[in-house]
Amino acid sequence: MTEATTQAPARTLGGLVAYLQVDGAVKAADFYKRAFGAELAFAYPPDDKGRTMHVHLYVNGSSLMLGDAYPEHGHPSVPPQGYTMQLILGDDVDAWWQRAVDAGCTVEVPLDVMFWGDRWGLLRDPFGVNWGMNAPVKKG
């Protein structure tokens, strides 16, 4: 995330925004660029420990925000659990899937047609966050 900026925060996209606390928000932002085509919208520069309090990314037409743990301010590091980031995709789900796997995501559930009729699969990124990819089955 070499292009960190201190300019005014960027416009938020979407009506509900996930805000992830990860161990290494700068590294996660760089990874999300490679894995999910994320674009940097805004970031506070890292402190002397390499932590940042805020990174704002655009992913698949929505905002995603990240920050590091700051235990000295009451925000300890907690492993991700109990949620999945869900990417709703179209015909390009295979390209998204392969890009994420090539970047370093591990396959938890292979991409396949599910009982509800869509193609879906589950990946886990190196920061422990689960990412589901969902796309309608191609007709014809």
Side-chain angles (χ1 to χ4, degrees):
M1 193 182 71
T2 55
E3 68 269 22
T5 177
T6 57
Q7 66 188 16
R11 181 172 165 253
T12 302
L13 303 178
L16 177 65
V17 176
Y19 204 119
L20 306 178
Q21 179 181 294
V22 294
D23 187 16
V26 170
K27 290 178 184 174
D30 285 338
F31 179 80
Y32 295 156
K33 288 179 191 178
R34 291 189 314 277
F36 305 115
E39 298 172 36
L40 179 65
F42 176 83
Y44 283 108
D47 65 14
D48 58 353
K49 295 180 182 178
R51 303 175 304 179
T52 184
M53 61 181 278
H54 182 71
V55 177
H56 181 166
L57 301 173
Y58 294 140
V59 179
N60 193 32
S62 297
S63 287
L64 172 64
M65 298 181 184
L66 315 169
D68 279 289
Y70 283 86
E72 69 274 24
H73 296 291
H75 300 279
S77 183
V78 177
Q81 60 182 345
Y83 66 91
T84 297
M85 303 298 296
Q86 189 72 23
L87 290 164
I88 307 302
L89 304 166
D91 290 341
D92 55 351
V93 66
D94 293 295
W96 277 75
W97 183 268
Q98 194 59 53
R99 179 179 58 194
V101 169
D102 290 348
C105 285
T106 58
V107 176
E108 298 292 315
V109 178
L111 190 60
D112 202 352
V113 177
M114 295 294 157
F115 66 90
W116 60 86
D118 289 345
R119 291 184 70 217
W120 182 86
L122 184 69
L123 302 168
R124 183 175 309 235
D125 73 29
F127 303 89
V129 178
N130 286 330
W131 292 81
M133 292 191 186
N134 196 89
V137 172
K138 295 177 187 176
K139 304 285 190 219

